[in-house]
Amino acid sequence: MLKIYGKMKTTISLIKADIGSIGGHVKVHEKIMDMAREKLRKEHGKLLIDSYVTRCGDDLELLMTHTKGVNSEKIHKLAWDVFEEGAKIAKELGLYGAGQDLLSDAFSGNVRGMGPGIAEMEIEERPAEVVIAFMGDKTEASAFNLPLFEIFANPFNTAGLILDPKLHDGFKFEVHDVKGSRKIIFDTPEETYDLLSLIGLTDIYAIKRVYKKSGEIAAVASTEKVNLIAGRYVGKDDPCMLIRAQSGYPATGEVVEPFSKPFLIAGWMRGSHRGPLMPVSEKDANPTRFDGPPRIIGLSFSLKKGKLTGPVDLFSDVSFDEARRKANELAYYMRRHGPFQPHLLPPGEMEYTTLPQILKKLEDRFEKL
Ligand code: F6R
Ligand code: MG
Ligand code: MG
C-alpha cells in the first residue's frame, strides 16, 4: 500500500451551545455533561482523537480534536447530536431554557448559523503544542476584541513582540463586520491604527482570526450572533476562542495577562447591560449577581498527535484574585446606574427592549418643541 508521508494536521474544534441550565441561566447540569463526555468518548479512535467537555455558566462546551479539518459535517453533526440529547435531558428535568440555542429542528450539514458558537483551527502541531481555550458567559462575540489586540499587538502586554525575534514581525488580524457580512485583514504593527478604529466598535466588528505573518493560524474566535441569526432575540451569543501559545506565539502568561485588568463589555442581565468581564476558575463560572457579572474561563492544554494533556485551569491561579476583586468593584459601580446608560446599552444593542411598544403608546402625547 502506498503510504504518503506528510506532516499530520490536527483540527481542534470548540463548539458550544446553551441548551438549558439549572435554576435560571446559571449552570449546566452534571447529567448533561456526563452524557456529552460519554458520547464524545465513544468516538475516540474513530471520529475523534480526543475530547474535553466543560461548561461556562449555562453554556455547554465541547472541545474535540480530530483530523477532519474545519467545518467537517461529521464533527458538527456529532456536536449537534450531543446538544439535542442535552436539550432532551434538560426538558425532562425541567431545566431553564431547554434547547434555547438550537434554532432548527433538523441538522443540515453544518452547525454554523443554527445557534451554536464555533471556534475551529487546523494546525501542523509543533513538537510541544500549547492550545488555550477561552469560554465566556453573559457576554458577546466581540468581547474578545480588546484582549486579542493586547495579546497579539500590544507590546505593553506582550513582551515577546519586542523581545522575541519570532514575534517581532507582528501578526495579521481578520476582522468581521458582523452586521454587513464582510471581512477585512489588517497587518500589525503597520496598520494598528486602522485596525483599532474598527475593533473598538464592538457592536459592529469582531476579530475572527489572528495569523502569524507567515500564514499559520494563531487564534480563532466564535463570532456567531444568535440574536441576528434568528432575526429576533433567542439567546446569547456567548463566545469561545482558541489561542496557540509559546515558541513563536505569545507565552501563556502573555495570553492571560489582558484578563488581569477587568474591562467593560456588553452582556450581563438580559444581554442589555455593560459590565466587567470576570476571569474565574471552571468551578466558579456560575454567574448569579444580576445574572453575572459576565464570566470567562481559560483552560490551557498540551497537544501531541491530537491527544490532549491537561488542562491547567488558568484563572484558578491566586494571581487573578485581585482581578476578581476589581471586577466586583466595577460591578457595584455599574449597578449604581440601574436603568441608566452607560450601564444600560444603547437601544440598538439591547437584546430585550420594550422601547418600540412604549414609544407607540406615547406617540399621541409627544408635542413639537
Ligand atoms: C443573559 C441571560 C439572562 C436572561 C435573564 C432573563 O444572557 O441569559 O440574563 O436574559 O435571566 O431570562 P428570561 O427572559 O429567560 O426569563
Ligand atoms: Mg441560558
Ligand atoms: Mg450563556
Side-chain angles (χ1 to χ4, degrees):
M1 205 173 99
L2 182 71
K3 271 210 162 167
I4 298 168
Y5 292 97
K7 280 222 163 163
M8 178 187 128
K9 286 204 169 180
T10 306
T11 312
I12 309 139
S13 298
L14 178 55
I15 306 185
K16 50 107 352 202
D18 176 350
I19 41 117
S21 51
I22 313 169
H25 294 272
V26 186
K27 191 174 178 180
V28 179
H29 199 290
E30 269 305 323
K31 216 170 158 181
I32 295 177
M33 311 258 290
D34 286 344
M35 174 278 297
R37 282 187 193 110
E38 193 46 40
K39 238 178 142 72
L40 297 190
R41 201 179 298 130
K42 275 192 190 144
E43 291 297 333
H44 290 186
K46 293 189 239 166
L47 198 49
L48 302 179
I49 302 172
D50 210 348
S51 62
Y52 185 81
V53 173
T54 188
R55 61 161 194 104
C56 184
D58 58 9
D59 293 282
L60 177 63
E61 315 271 351
L62 311 178
L63 182 70
M64 299 169 281
T65 61
H66 53 95
T67 54
K68 312 285 176 217
V70 301
N71 276 322
S72 154
E73 180 170 342
K74 286 186 175 148
I75 301 295
H76 284 214
K77 171 84 167 65
L78 176 63
W80 185 261
D81 288 347
V82 171
F83 294 143
E84 280 210 314
E85 185 138 353
K88 219 188 281 167
I89 299 173
K91 265 185 205 127
E92 278 162 19
L93 296 175
L95 301 188
Y96 198 69
Q100 77 163 49
D101 282 355
L102 306 181
L103 306 181
S104 163
D105 290 336
F107 180 76
S108 61
N110 194 305
V111 288
R112 209 168 291 282
M114 296 177 83
I118 311 132
E120 293 184 294
M121 54 165 69
E122 188 180 37
I123 62 169
E124 220 165 73
E125 285 181 16
R126 295 166 293 163
E129 185 64 50
V130 179
V131 176
I132 304 177
F134 287 100
M135 294 146 271
D137 187 32
K138 304 294 181 280
T139 181
E140 60 170 357
S142 50
F144 293 148
N145 283 10
L146 187 151
L148 279 172
F149 176 81
E150 292 205 302
I151 294 163
F152 291 102
N154 182 1
F156 279 75
N157 180 86
T158 298
L161 293 168
I162 296 175
L163 302 181
D164 184 347
K166 295 200 283 301
L167 270 76
H168 197 69
D169 279 351
F171 290 87
K172 282 176 180 294
F173 286 75
E174 180 184 322
V175 175
H176 286 199
D177 172 348
V178 293
K179 289 186 175 158
S181 298
R182 48 188 194 155
K183 64 178 182 184
I184 180 166
I185 293 177
F186 292 102
D187 281 324
T188 58
E190 303 89 315
E191 300 179 293
T192 298
Y193 296 166
D194 286 350
L195 171 69
L196 278 172
S197 64
L198 263 58
I199 61 170
L201 307 173
T202 47
D203 56 329
I204 309 173
Y205 299 102
I207 298 170
K208 177 71 193 175
R209 292 183 186 87
V210 182
Y211 296 94
K212 290 185 73 146
K213 286 276 172 66
S214 50
E216 290 108 321
I217 186 95
V220 60
S222 65
T223 48
E224 287 71 30
K225 285 214 157 253
V226 173
N227 51 331
L228 297 182
I229 289 167
R232 64 189 169 88
Y233 179 76
V234 284
K236 285 292 298 163
D237 42 346
D238 293 319
C240 59
M241 74 173 163
L242 296 169
I243 298 185
R244 300 172 80 182
Q246 304 291 155
S247 99
Y249 295 84
T252 300
E254 290 165 336
V255 173
V256 291
E257 179 66 4
F259 300 101
S260 67
K261 296 159 279 176
F263 46 94
L264 299 175
I265 44 95
W268 209 346
M269 175 58 77
R270 297 176 190 275
S272 304
H273 295 83
R274 245 186 272 281
L277 186 59
M278 183 186 274
V280 292
S281 66
E282 271 182 298
K283 72 172 177 34
D284 289 327
N286 310 307
T288 52
R289 185 185 178 206
F290 201 53
D291 285 359
R295 301 299 152 104
I296 180 156
I297 61 170
L299 305 179
S300 189
F301 294 88
S302 284
L303 194 65
K304 192 74 179 175
K305 294 186 179 143
K307 276 269 171 222
L308 294 162
T309 299
V312 178
D313 186 348
L314 294 166
F315 298 134
S316 69
D317 182 1
V318 291
S319 68
F320 283 93
D321 286 352
E322 187 59 13
R324 287 185 273 276
R325 200 193 57 75
K326 283 217 162 83
N328 268 325
E329 204 174 284
L330 282 166
Y332 275 90
Y333 181 70
M334 293 307 279
R335 284 296 302 126
R336 169 70 183 90
H337 301 86
F340 285 78
Q341 289 180 342
H343 184 30
L344 191 72
L345 289 171
E349 277 191 71
M350 280 191 278
E351 287 184 357
Y352 284 65
T353 181
T354 48
L355 193 62
Q357 294 100 294
I358 290 177
L359 283 175
K360 196 164 172 225
K361 185 180 76 183
L362 300 178
E363 186 58 37
D364 297 342
R365 289 171 49 194
F366 274 108
E367 293 171 32
K368 269 230 148 358
L369 284 178

